[in-house]
Amino acid sequence: MSQAPASSARRTNRRARKSDAGDELDAVFLAVARYFGLLSEPTRLRILHAICQSEQSVSAIVEATGATQTNVSRHLSLLHTAGVVSRRKAGNVVYYGVADPEFVSICRGVCVQIAARIDAHAPLKRDLLGFARRN
C-alpha cells in the first residue's frame, strides 16, 4: 500500500515539472511572437529599411517612408520600447538607428526570400506591388 502514494507523488511531481517547463516555454513563445509582431506592419519595415545602413533623423525617416510624422513617431516609439532601435538627441534633432542588428538581419533575410519568390512569379509581383501602392 505504501507504493501507491509514492507512485502518485512521482506522477504529481512530473506534472508539476512539466507544467513549469510549459510555463517557461509559454513566456518564451509570447516574447518571440511580440518580437516577430514588430515585423507585421509595413510602415515599421519601411522605417527599418530607412535606418538599416545609418541612423537617420525623424524628418529623414518621414521623407524616406512617405508616412506622416505622427505615424512614424508612433512606430519609432514602439520599436524603441522593444529595443530594436536606438535613439539619440543632438540639439533639437532626434536620430534613430538600429539597436538590434539580429532583428534587421532576420527582416532582411525574409525580405530577400520573398522578393525572390515574387521575381519568380512576375504577375504576382505586379499584383503585390499594386496592392502595396494602394496601402
Side-chain angles (χ1 to χ4, degrees):
M1 291 182 82
S2 63
Q3 287 183 353
S7 172
S8 177
R10 281 194 299 269
R11 279 194 303 270
T12 301
N13 286 341
R14 269 188 251 134
R15 272 190 235 124
R17 283 193 308 267
K18 198 173 192 180
S19 177
D20 290 345
D23 290 345
E24 288 175 14
L25 279 178
D26 287 347
V28 169
F29 292 153
L30 180 61
V32 170
R34 286 182 180 150
Y35 187 77
F36 283 120
L38 294 169
L39 294 173
S40 68
E41 168 59 45
T43 301
R44 289 194 287 268
L45 296 173
R46 287 185 190 101
I47 289 169
L48 289 170
H49 179 71
I51 66 172
C52 70
Q53 297 299 318
S54 63
E55 66 179 14
Q56 301 291 323
S57 67
V58 174
S59 60
I61 296 168
V62 166
E63 186 176 323
T65 62
T68 65
Q69 182 163 349
T70 301
N71 199 16
V72 167
S73 293
R74 183 173 56 86
H75 288 296
L76 284 168
S77 176
L78 180 72
L79 291 166
H80 181 261
T81 300
V84 174
V85 301
S86 62
R87 107 176 125 202
R88 74 175 176 86
K89 192 169 184 176
N92 291 334
V93 181
V94 178
Y95 293 91
Y96 285 86
V98 173
D100 185 349
E102 186 63 30
F103 187 80
V104 174
S105 178
I106 290 167
C107 180
R108 182 177 288 126
V110 171
C111 286
V112 166
Q113 185 178 35
I114 289 175
R117 288 180 187 172
I118 291 172
D119 281 341
H121 305 296
L124 174 62
K125 179 179 182 178
R126 188 175 51 250
D127 293 345
L128 286 174
L129 290 176
F131 176 75
R133 284 189 202 106
R134 286 190 297 263
N135 291 326

